[in-house]
Amino acid sequence: MPGKLVRSSRIGQALLGDPSDGIDPYLPANGNLGYRVSRYDLTLEYKVSTNRLAGVATLTAATVRTLGRFSIDLSSSLKVERITVNGKRPARYTHRNHKLNITLATDLPAGGGMTVVIKYAGNPKPIRGQWGDVGWEELTEGALVASQPNGAASWFPCDDHPSSKAAYGISITTDSPFMAVANGVLKSKRTKAAQTTWVYEQIEPMASYLATIQIGSYTRKTLGTKPVPIHAVVPPRLRRNLDLDFAKQRQMMEVFVELFGPYPFPEYSVVITDDDLEIPIEAQAMSIFGANHCDGTGWSERLIAHELAHQWFGNSLTLSRWKDIWLHEGFACYSEWLWSERSGGPSAEAQARKYYGRLASSPMDLVIGDPGPKYMFDDRVYKRGALTLHALRKRLGDNDFFDLLREWTREYRYSSVTSADFTGLAGKYSPQPLNDLWHHWLDEKPLPPYPVF
Ligand SMILES: [Zn+2]
């Protein structure tokens, strides 16, 4: 029974925060033990001209063991002004190296409710790491947040681990007439004097790195209404380019819904910043592109498909550990090839052959099922991850392969996932064991022979 298989693999997975669980070895400084956050309420004020952020964060959590001390991730660039836990001041706290360590006056029992309120302010700046600068970043006029993998603490206190998924309420007040966009559905917009408050509600569970705020001189345009509203948030000067570069956004959505199952969120937005960006960025129910991706030439169509695919693979289904990054990037890359195939471009087979050739002449010193933190965003993880799916598709045949993708997104909707979850589910669709396929493509360094079946 398929359902049984899925459930048993979930039971084997320790809850993050449980004492038997560990912190991700790829990001050992991030994430925290002893509690689980179910909701963040962020009430923020941001001054564009001075890059000043002030906020009150309310974390609604539950303890998973008796708790006398616990930690929260928060950038050292932000200064904490006040903390309460269940309405009381803690005995003491320290804040250094992007970590807030809180000691309670009285222990909290296991399984108890915990409400942490943190008032803080400062000049947010990105968190520097081996993947460059991530998190809150000032634009020429405005701000953006691009946190993958560990930038969330640059702008709010959080349990910064991808398997720590929670609901969010985000209220952001900034200078009029700037537009402020955050994850979720816009619930209200209020202008008072020279400031506007935007209130968003994100009810589907979200990993902290996918939480975002985008502020700029933008206008909003609706690109489509089915199956969900699709919005573009764009600087007025780029509106004409938008019509050319994002002309196929709606068809892309239709094709991916057909191939992957229902789009997982109530809306989808693309934000185009007035500045150039090196690469586009995924956030929950939103993708962020630079002005350079919207130059009227259509060159970024592949990237537009890639980012949309992350809404299923990465955002609804989110890795439990960064070592399984191919579950995000391999799938998003394969979605580029699928879009190409479905929109009259080169077939997935042609793309697979092309990139197989490139991989064959690249160093084979990576295991894509566990590439190591330094190489987790290496292009070989993307391309070989996509080729792994292509090999699987050839083994299963199109009908079963796409049925599997739809069952994957349905069974694990809004969940945390591992490679074993996917390979376990895929096994159901094959009369023969698939172990050799996974072993050669995911666990070994040499490139396996090109898949022919
Ligand atoms: Zn990606």
Side-chain angles (χ1 to χ4, degrees):
M1 286 289 289
K4 203 170 170 192
L5 177 82
V6 170
R7 272 192 293 278
S8 66
S9 70
R10 274 185 196 163
I11 289 163
Q13 207 175 301
L15 280 179
L16 184 80
D18 185 276
S20 65
D21 186 32
I23 294 293
D24 196 322
Y26 280 27
L27 282 159
N30 288 74
N32 307 279
L33 298 178
Y35 64 92
R36 282 190 73 83
V37 182
S38 58
R39 185 177 167 90
Y40 292 87
D41 283 286
L42 308 176
T43 305
L44 308 172
E45 273 182 56
Y46 183 68
K47 187 116 192 90
V48 172
S49 57
T50 56
N51 185 42
R52 171 91 179 163
L53 180 71
V56 176
T58 304
L59 283 61
T60 306
T63 57
V64 295
R65 57 174 157 87
T66 306
L67 210 60
R69 281 166 32 175
F70 64 97
S71 56
I72 295 177
D73 299 298
L74 180 65
S75 166
S76 304
S77 311
L78 300 166
K79 194 174 170 333
V80 171
E81 294 169 3
R82 194 185 66 235
I83 299 178
T84 62
V85 180
N86 291 350
K88 298 191 194 103
R89 297 283 180 102
R92 62 180 179 277
Y93 68 85
T94 59
H95 186 201
R96 59 177 83 96
N97 299 327
H98 307 323
K99 201 64 120 177
L100 196 52
N101 287 296
I102 297 169
T103 305
L104 299 170
T106 342
D107 285 4
L108 292 173
M114 180 168 89
T115 303
V116 187
V117 180
I118 300 171
K119 186 169 188 289
Y120 64 101
N123 298 108
K125 61 177 189 196
I127 289 177
R128 187 149 286 179
Q130 56 186 323
W131 310 280
D133 288 351
V134 291
W136 189 285
E137 218 165 311
E138 268 187 276
L139 293 171
T140 307
E141 219 186 17
L144 71 71
V145 174
S147 294
Q148 192 184 46
N150 64 339
S154 70
W155 64 286
F156 70 101
C158 53
D159 183 26
D160 193 14
H161 190 288
S163 70
S164 182
K165 298 175 85 165
Y168 283 68
I170 302 176
S171 163
I172 170 86
T173 301
T174 195
D175 318 298
S176 310
F178 288 109
M179 185 181 284
V181 186
N183 312 89
V185 174
L186 179 65
K187 288 289 171 187
S188 70
K189 178 191 163 191
R190 231 176 24 250
T191 301
K192 214 157 108 185
Q195 294 200 306
T196 303
T197 299
W198 308 73
V199 179
Y200 293 87
E201 180 70 27
Q202 169 65 54
I203 55 167
E204 298 81 16
M206 174 164 76
S208 47
Y209 83 87
L210 294 169
T212 194
I213 286 194
Q214 307 291 327
I215 297 172
S217 297
Y218 298 132
T219 57
R220 198 163 98 135
K221 187 178 175 188
T222 298
L223 301 178
T225 53
K226 280 187 184 155
V228 295
I230 305 174
H231 307 292
V233 173
V234 60
R237 74 177 177 95
L238 297 175
R239 267 189 83 127
R240 187 168 296 173
N241 291 352
L242 176 88
D243 294 339
L244 297 163
D245 290 301
F246 287 79
K248 294 185 182 151
Q249 181 73 77
R250 214 181 37 146
Q251 286 151 268
M252 245 177 227
M253 177 68 88
E254 284 165 8
V255 167
F256 285 178
V257 164
E258 181 196 325
L259 299 178
F260 309 147
Y263 175 77
F265 305 111
E267 295 182 7
Y268 180 59
S269 296
V270 292
V271 176
I272 293 116
T273 63
D274 212 359
D275 296 43
D276 287 353
L277 297 182
E278 202 183 319
I279 45 165
I281 303 130
E282 74 261 30
Q284 188 139 314
M286 195 193 298
S287 300
I288 301 107
F289 297 85
N292 50 316
H293 301 115
C294 186
D295 61 1
T297 67
W299 77 273
S300 51
E301 188 173 312
R302 167 181 87 76
L303 301 170
I304 294 168
H306 180 109
E307 298 307 322
L308 177 61
H310 274 311
Q311 300 305 328
W312 287 263
F313 311 114
N315 303 1
S316 174
L317 282 70
T318 309
L319 46 73
S320 304
R321 292 289 179 274
W322 288 108
K323 81 187 204 28
D324 289 331
I325 185 73
W326 83 278
L327 291 175
H328 295 191
E329 301 304 348
F331 280 66
C333 182
Y334 197 58
S335 303
E336 297 173 27
W337 303 354
L338 291 172
W339 167 250
S340 170
E341 180 167 287
R342 288 294 297 264
S343 61
S347 64
E349 172 70 13
Q351 303 264 27
R353 283 198 181 276
K354 173 173 145 190
Y355 288 106
Y356 183 88
R358 289 208 194 158
L359 283 171
S361 55
S362 305
M364 296 179 201
D365 53 1
L366 268 189
V367 168
I368 67 151
D370 191 1
K374 190 174 168 200
Y375 293 109
M376 70 171 164
F377 299 114
D378 190 285
D379 195 52
R380 289 170 292 171
V381 174
Y382 291 48
K383 298 299 189 301
R384 187 162 163 170
L387 273 157
T388 304
L389 290 172
H390 194 61
L392 179 65
R393 180 179 172 189
K394 292 185 102 168
R395 182 82 76 95
L396 300 181
D398 275 13
N399 283 349
D400 279 351
F401 176 75
F402 288 107
D403 279 351
L404 164 64
L405 291 192
R406 286 185 291 268
E407 184 174 356
W408 176 235
T409 64
R410 187 174 65 243
E411 281 296 320
Y412 289 92
R413 194 172 166 94
Y414 309 137
S415 297
S416 302
V417 291
T418 65
S419 287
D421 291 330
F422 183 67
T423 58
L425 191 65
K428 238 188 66 183
Y429 287 83
S430 172
Q432 311 296 332
L434 294 166
N435 298 358
D436 60 316
L437 188 152
W438 305 126
H439 182 64
H440 291 135
W441 283 97
L442 297 178
D443 303 335
E444 288 192 328
K445 289 178 183 173
L447 194 62
Y450 186 81
V452 277
F453 290 103

